Amino acid sequence: YQCGWTEGVVVAAAGSIINVAVGERVLFPVSPEGNQSVIIELSFNNIVMVSWSSRRKVPDVHDLYVHRIDIVESGSMHVNNMQRSDSGLYQMLIRYMSGDHKPSKSLSFQLRVLEPVSKPNITAECLNGSISLSCFNSQGSEVTYSWETLPPCGDDSCVHLGATVEIHPSSESTAHTCTAQNPVSRATSGPIDLGVCSIQQPS
């Protein structure tokens, strides 16, 4: 798995959920047994995206995918430039046309295409005796948030989960960062110093 969101190639594994970033390409691997002739079909939402014969070598590609599919010599297929709308169930049918006429083989792939997160921003609301910090970002799907103090305390109890956190400042000067992540990416904000609120301590 490569982490460059535009150059990355994700290898699909049959029978499992595969997380893919928007813009990546997905390889649906095929390894026909022996040197038998095969016909391979890849379908999405019951639409046959591409049909390829090892005899003809020229793929028959659906109009919607003409510029997005590449065929490797073995019949493996790349689908390029994945988008959110490409999330769902893919099915590959391999039919053997020569030799001992092995039974057809069907494979299923579940893809989840996610938008990578952008660097998050923090807003601070000064309350009476505490500070409410909120974390948000402009990009990303299925995002989760977590907070850490700086310098890191090396303890899980210093990590808070969720988009907002309420802090009760102590005499020690601390800063906080927010991390946004999803299964395909992770980004951390710049630190915010709790000095943004000059809180009057009760007498």
Side-chain angles (χ1 to χ4, degrees), residues 3 37 55 59-60 65 98-99 110 113 131-132 153 162 182:
C3 289
S37 297
R55 288 177 178 167
D60 182 14
Y65 298 94
S98 64
Q110 186 76 36
V113 185
I131 303 172
S132 176
C153 69
N182 64 12

Side-chain angles (χ1 to χ4, degrees), residues 136-198:
F136 63 95
N137 57 348
S138 57
Q139 267 182 232
S141 42
E142 298 187 29
V143 184
T144 58
Y145 298 94
S146 60
W147 296 86
E148 282 191 72
T149 58
L150 294 175
C153 69
D155 188 340
D156 285 345
S157 65
C158 297
V159 177
H160 303 276
L161 301 178
T164 60
V165 63
E166 190 169 323
I167 306 293
H168 296 277
S170 64
S171 57
E172 298 176 16
S173 176
T174 58
H176 288 72
T177 60
C178 168
T179 297
Q181 63 182 11
N182 64 12
V184 298
S185 61
R186 175 186 175 98
T188 300
S189 71
I192 185 169
D193 195 306
L194 296 188
V196 292
C197 294
S198 52

Side-chain angles (χ1 to χ4, degrees), residues 69-153:
I69 290 180
D70 300 320
I71 310 293
V72 184
E73 186 67 27
S74 66
S76 296
M77 299 174 177
H78 280 111
V79 181
N80 303 310
N81 193 24
M82 299 299 288
Q83 301 298 313
R84 293 291 309 279
S85 57
D86 293 321
S87 294
L89 182 67
Y90 291 74
Q91 292 182 302
M92 179 176 275
L93 180 64
I94 304 172
R95 288 180 289 164
Y96 290 92
M97 306 301 291
S98 64
D100 54 6
H101 286 284
K102 297 171 73 69
S104 297
K105 185 176 181 181
S106 181
L107 303 171
S108 295
F109 307 85
Q110 186 76 36
L111 262 58
R112 191 164 61 145
V113 185
L114 302 169
E115 185 179 34
V117 299
S118 58
K119 183 176 180 177
N121 296 306
I122 298 175
T123 58
E125 183 182 0
C126 304
L127 307 173
N128 185 21
S130 65
I131 303 172
S132 176
L133 300 178
S134 298
C135 187
F136 63 95
N137 57 348
S138 57
Q139 267 182 232
S141 42
E142 298 187 29
V143 184
T144 58
Y145 298 94
S146 60
W147 296 86
E148 282 191 72
T149 58
L150 294 175
C153 69

